Amino acid sequence: MAEAIAAAATTSLSVKPSNLHSQLFLSSTSFPIIRLNSLKNPNFRPLVVSSTSIESAATRKNSSKTSFLDQREGSRYLHFVKYHGLGNDFILVDNRDSSEPKITPEQAAKLCDRNFGIGADGVIFALPGINGTDYTMRIFNSDGSEPEMCGNGVRCFARFISELENLHGKKLSFSVHTGAGLIVPEIQEDGKVKVDMGEPVLKAADVPTKLAANKNDAVVKSELVVDGVTWNVTCVSMGNPHCVTFGIKGGQDLQVDALNLAQIGPKFEHHEVFPARTNTEFVQVCSPSHLKMRVWERGAGATLACGTGACATVVAAVLEGHAGRNCTVDLPGGPLEIEWREEDNHVYMTGPAEMVFDGSVPLRYLLE
């Protein structure tokens, strides 16, 4: 018995480095390798495994011909990879074998639940390309609604495609069909993703907003009354509608950290002047090349980052005379680099997209 206890005390768990995952394995060759689908943890310390737990695991393994890990590879499971772009997180699904998403909007909302599901701001599907594009991207928000596209989401989509196609370490670009039209992401050598987001739409009717145009066909620094307070707003579409504000009429410069976003955000989103609802960006000007932003996203609420919102923010800042065409936009999850080029009128967004973990969900869970 003493020998068994001593042997068990020397059996430990340790981390084997990997580019994408941490590999958790038993140092004793008499036990199988166990892989945890998670990021490397630099603070990980070896754990001692007792003989009781080893025997229990062995007993469980022998008691069933097919383990849970074997079962999850079957068609009864939905396989996914979780990514985030500056904390704006998404469940990515390989849907290249079908032109229709594998799950419904209602099931997507269930997966996005942070208490009873995986937890995410949305579910993104990689589908076959149409109209000559390489791929099609569709997304269901955490409330089940379907936006035209998502800036942080398209960066995550690009990294996901590079993993699916085994394009590691290569600088590449490809065309993506979205509800907002053609989007072209390019993976940089440093791993960040640069996206040509196309031209901003400023015509009021096309944003859409019922606010009257006051600068050519656009709504620029117009007055909007929300809950009895008059805000100055500029309306921009980046394929999806945005209402950008730098503060209230006649008020001091906006301090975004002091906002009660959960209270004011929904009142903008559902305001009657936005027939398709709206994303809302509250912006603090730090300098002509540095903006700080908080966002209330249509269909997702307060998120840590919004790529299309950062793009709309720079466009609005230029139109209102607050900033130049090259800006760093600080979001709660981190910075994005945004450029509104004068020569082609396109907006370019550059930022990170990181894998968090991969896994499988039993389909029966989605049907309950």
Side-chain angles (χ1 to χ4, degrees):
M1 184 64 177
E3 289 83 354
I5 294 174
T10 60
T11 303
S12 63
L13 298 178
S14 57
V15 170
K16 179 180 178 182
S18 168
N19 290 333
L20 292 177
H21 307 290
S22 294
Q23 304 290 336
L24 186 64
F25 66 101
L26 290 168
S27 59
S28 171
T29 57
S30 61
F31 297 101
I33 291 175
I34 303 172
R35 184 169 72 89
L36 289 186
N37 299 330
S38 62
L39 292 178
K40 289 183 289 185
N41 181 358
N43 298 317
F44 181 84
R45 294 293 181 269
L47 302 174
V48 175
V49 182
S50 70
S51 60
T52 302
S53 64
I54 294 172
E55 290 169 2
S56 176
T59 301
R60 286 195 301 269
K61 181 181 178 182
N62 293 331
S63 67
S64 174
K65 294 182 179 179
T66 306
S67 73
F68 167 74
L69 292 176
D70 291 331
Q71 291 175 8
R72 76 173 187 166
E73 298 303 322
S75 59
R76 294 177 297 169
Y77 288 79
L78 176 73
H79 308 298
F80 69 89
V81 184
K82 178 85 175 283
Y83 283 81
H84 80 89
L86 299 178
N88 194 193
D89 56 343
F90 304 94
I91 298 163
L92 277 292
V93 177
D94 183 3
N95 212 123
R96 292 173 298 164
D97 58 351
S98 173
S99 59
E100 289 297 323
K102 292 183 177 180
I103 60 174
T104 66
E106 294 76 18
Q107 291 170 336
K110 191 171 185 179
L111 288 180
C112 289
D113 190 294
R114 297 190 183 278
N115 296 109
F116 298 99
I118 298 167
D121 292 320
V123 180
I124 295 175
F125 306 89
L127 299 100
I130 59 175
N131 299 329
T133 58
D134 296 315
Y135 305 97
T136 295
M137 169 181 155
R138 288 183 65 181
I139 176 172
F140 294 148
N141 283 325
S142 58
D143 70 348
S145 61
E146 182 173 3
E148 296 83 355
M149 72 94 56
C150 172
N152 286 316
V154 78
R155 295 201 317 277
C156 293
F157 181 93
R159 290 295 300 271
F160 182 51
I161 291 296
S162 74
E163 296 294 336
L164 291 177
E165 304 287 7
N166 197 26
L167 301 171
H168 306 294
K170 299 179 182 178
K171 182 178 179 180
L172 73 152
S173 64
F174 39 82
S175 57
V176 181
H177 174 80
T178 74
L182 176 66
I183 299 293
V184 183
E186 180 182 276
I187 298 177
Q188 308 290 290
E189 292 178 356
D190 62 1
K192 289 185 178 180
V193 182
K194 183 174 184 178
V195 186
D196 178 353
M197 301 290 287
E199 298 186 56
V201 174
L202 300 174
K203 186 177 180 181
D206 294 336
V207 171
T209 178
K210 295 178 182 178
L211 285 170
N214 60 352
K215 186 175 182 180
N216 298 324
D217 291 328
V219 174
V220 179
K221 204 174 182 179
S222 184
E223 295 181 5
L224 176 65
V225 179
V226 180
D227 204 23
V229 177
T230 301
W231 296 76
N232 292 324
V233 302
T234 293
C235 297
V236 181
S237 172
M238 292 303 307
N240 54 355
H242 293 270
C243 173
V244 183
T245 179
F246 296 87
I248 62 175
K249 180 181 179 182
Q252 296 179 339
D253 293 340
L254 191 59
Q255 301 296 309
V256 295
D257 289 336
L259 283 172
N260 186 339
L261 198 59
Q263 182 181 60
I264 191 66
K267 294 176 181 178
F268 274 86
E269 178 185 355
H270 297 281
H271 199 288
E272 62 183 3
V273 301
F274 302 115
R277 296 188 292 164
T278 190
N279 302 280
T280 309
E281 287 73 40
F282 301 88
V283 189
Q284 180 177 333
V285 179
C286 302
S287 78
S289 61
H290 184 194
L291 306 172
K292 186 176 182 179
M293 181 191 98
R294 292 182 68 191
V295 60
W296 182 267
E297 289 199 52
R298 177 187 61 165
T303 61
L304 295 178
C306 177
T308 55
C311 294
T313 289
V314 172
V315 171
V318 171
L319 293 175
E320 291 196 23
H322 296 299
R325 288 177 172 264
N326 247 307
C327 287
T328 297
V329 181
D330 278 339
L331 304 104
L336 286 173
E337 301 300 323
I338 308 296
E339 178 186 6
W340 185 18
R341 289 186 188 170
E342 194 166 8
E343 55 265 33
D344 63 4
N345 198 39
H346 283 219
V347 181
Y348 295 84
M349 169 191 64
T350 303
E354 301 290 341
M355 178 182 173
V356 184
F357 61 85
D358 64 83
S360 304
V361 177
L363 291 176
R364 66 177 183 274
Y365 159 79
L366 296 175
L367 298 175
E368 291 175 354

